[in-house]
């Protein structure tokens, strides 16, 4: 099989499932779920990580084999997001950041204007920026033009589990984006993750669908399988949809014909 690695910011990744680390019933369950999901990239809010030392920190528990992607969850302005990212870089030694700038505290929708401003600032400061954004092709293009290493359109509101509400928009974004597209937010179950990959996404980032599942470890394994299956289906090419039937067996030489 040909090499199907995902490259973001010059880093080669073999897993296309990114996982969050919030909301698990215990740290042991979280670590087992990350293992079952085979994720290489894991994310957590910099605001809930202890930066007073690594002895008991989440970063220490994850080890060196995973790429830790701090996020700026909870930031409401570009200024706050930039400061949070810079703090993460200084404390954790990574220039990767999942950029979140929220414009609606109830729906947790991104503030596009502030998001673009923060992206431009962080890219100029040497960060590898992965912005969480609306499922809007224009916004995604502007973020890529601003230097984002990938774009992360939402499938549905964070934690909703509604699945992909506008698959056409996601497919358009994937078709036009010059940078990898990572579906973020709204995934409820494995079929949602498979659909994201079939639409052309390069990867899927999810958290709640696994951490709040009745069996998080089993759901993580299911998500990993779904992402692989969706990717394979995308590369294999689905058959055209049709309204009428078409027999799958030859019609010539039938008994009685």
């Amino acid at each position: 099989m040909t090499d199907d690695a995902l490259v973001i910011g010059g880093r080669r990744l073999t897993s296309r499932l990114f996982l969050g680390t919030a909301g698990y019933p215990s740290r042991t369950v979280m670590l087992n779920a990350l293992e079952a999901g085979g994720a290489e990239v894991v994310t957590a809010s910099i605001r809930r990580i202890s930066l007073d030392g690594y002895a008991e920190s989440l970063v220490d528990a994850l080890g060196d084999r995973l790429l830790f992607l701090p996020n700026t969850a909870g930031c409401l302005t570009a200024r706050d997001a930039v400061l949070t990212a810079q703090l993460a870089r200084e404390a954790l030694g990574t220039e990767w950041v999942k950029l979140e700038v929220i414009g609606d505290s109830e729906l947790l929708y991104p503030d596009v204007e502030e998001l673009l401003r923060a992206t431009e600032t962080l890219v100029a400061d040497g960060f590898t920026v992965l912005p969480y954004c609306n499922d809007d092709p224009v916004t995604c293009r502007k973020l890529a033009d601003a230097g984002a290493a990938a774009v992360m359109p939402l499938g549905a509101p964070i934690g909703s589990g509604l699945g992909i509400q506008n698959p056409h928009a996601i497919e358009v974004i994937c078709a036009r984006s010059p940078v990898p597209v990572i579906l973020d937010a709204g995934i409820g179950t494995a079929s949602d993750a498979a659909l994201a990959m079939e639409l052309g996404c390069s990867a899927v980032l999810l958290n709640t669908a696994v951490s709040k599942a009745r069996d998080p470890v089993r759901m993580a394994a299911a998500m990993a399988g779904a992402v692989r299956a969706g990717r394979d289906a995308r590369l294999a090419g689905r058959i055209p949809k049709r309204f009428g039937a078409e027999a799958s067996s030859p019609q010539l030489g039938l008994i009685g014909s």
Side-chain angles (χ1 to χ4, degrees), residues 205-245:
L205 189 153
L206 57 93
N207 184 93
T208 308
V210 168
S211 67
K212 298 298 185 184
R214 187 168 56 248
D215 184 342
V217 177
R218 192 165 192 167
M219 183 59 86
M223 291 295 185
V227 167
R228 287 194 295 271
R231 176 68 177 172
D232 284 343
R234 172 74 182 184
L235 296 178
R238 67 160 298 140
I239 63 170
K241 294 181 180 179
R242 63 173 66 240
F243 293 106

Side-chain angles (χ1 to χ4, degrees), residues 35-105:
E35 181 71 25
E40 289 179 80
V41 179
V42 296
T43 185
S45 170
I46 191 64
R47 292 190 166 192
R48 71 179 183 85
I49 300 171
S50 171
L51 300 178
D52 295 330
Y54 297 124
E56 299 296 329
S57 75
L58 176 62
V59 177
D60 203 46
L62 295 178
D64 296 333
R65 64 187 176 82
L66 301 179
L67 173 61
F68 186 70
L69 178 64
N71 69 57
T72 61
C75 291
L76 303 178
T77 66
R79 177 181 177 276
D80 287 349
V82 169
L83 289 174
T84 302
Q86 291 171 337
L87 175 63
R89 178 169 64 181
E90 184 172 343
L92 304 174
T94 178
E95 293 182 336
W96 281 52
V97 62
K98 180 195 169 190
L99 181 61
E100 296 185 30
V101 186
I102 300 302
D104 185 313
S105 58

Side-chain angles (χ1 to χ4, degrees), residues 3-240:
D3 183 7
D4 190 35
L6 169 63
V7 178
I8 298 177
R11 176 153 180 158
R12 183 178 181 276
L13 303 168
T14 56
S15 174
R16 294 174 180 270
L17 175 62
F18 298 6
L19 288 173
T21 55
Y24 286 88
S26 70
R27 177 165 291 192
T28 298
V29 173
M30 179 198 73
L31 293 174
N32 289 340
L34 296 181
E35 181 71 25
E40 289 179 80
V41 179
V42 296
T43 185
S45 170
I46 191 64
R47 292 190 166 192
R48 71 179 183 85
I49 300 171
S50 171
L51 300 178
D52 295 330
Y54 297 124
E56 299 296 329
S57 75
L58 176 62
V59 177
D60 203 46
L62 295 178
D64 296 333
R65 64 187 176 82
L66 301 179
L67 173 61
F68 186 70
L69 178 64
N71 69 57
T72 61
C75 291
L76 303 178
T77 66
R79 177 181 177 276
D80 287 349
V82 169
L83 289 174
T84 302
Q86 291 171 337
L87 175 63
R89 178 169 64 181
E90 184 172 343
L92 304 174
T94 178
E95 293 182 336
W96 281 52
V97 62
K98 180 195 169 190
L99 181 61
E100 296 185 30
V101 186
I102 300 302
D104 185 313
S105 58
E106 181 178 353
L107 296 174
L108 301 180
Y109 270 41
D111 184 319
V112 173
E113 184 178 357
E114 293 292 299
L115 188 65
L116 281 165
R117 184 176 297 122
T119 297
E120 292 170 348
T121 301
L122 289 171
V123 168
D125 197 19
F127 280 86
T128 299
V129 182
L130 289 73
Y132 163 68
C133 59
N134 300 321
D135 56 348
D136 172 13
V138 176
T139 297
C140 289
R141 178 178 52 79
K142 288 184 177 181
L143 289 167
D145 290 345
V151 292
M152 308 182 76
L154 57 83
I158 293 173
S160 68
L162 290 171
I164 300 173
Q165 295 298 289
N166 193 341
H168 176 66
I170 296 298
E171 192 166 29
V172 169
I173 291 169
C174 293
R176 295 184 175 185
S177 179
V179 296
V181 177
I182 304 168
L183 188 91
D184 184 12
I187 295 292
T189 190
S191 56
D192 299 330
L195 175 59
M197 301 303 293
E198 290 175 8
L199 292 173
C201 291
S202 298
V204 172
L205 189 153
L206 57 93
N207 184 93
T208 308
V210 168
S211 67
K212 298 298 185 184
R214 187 168 56 248
D215 184 342
V217 177
R218 192 165 192 167
M219 183 59 86
M223 291 295 185
V227 167
R228 287 194 295 271
R231 176 68 177 172
D232 284 343
R234 172 74 182 184
L235 296 178
R238 67 160 298 140
I239 63 170

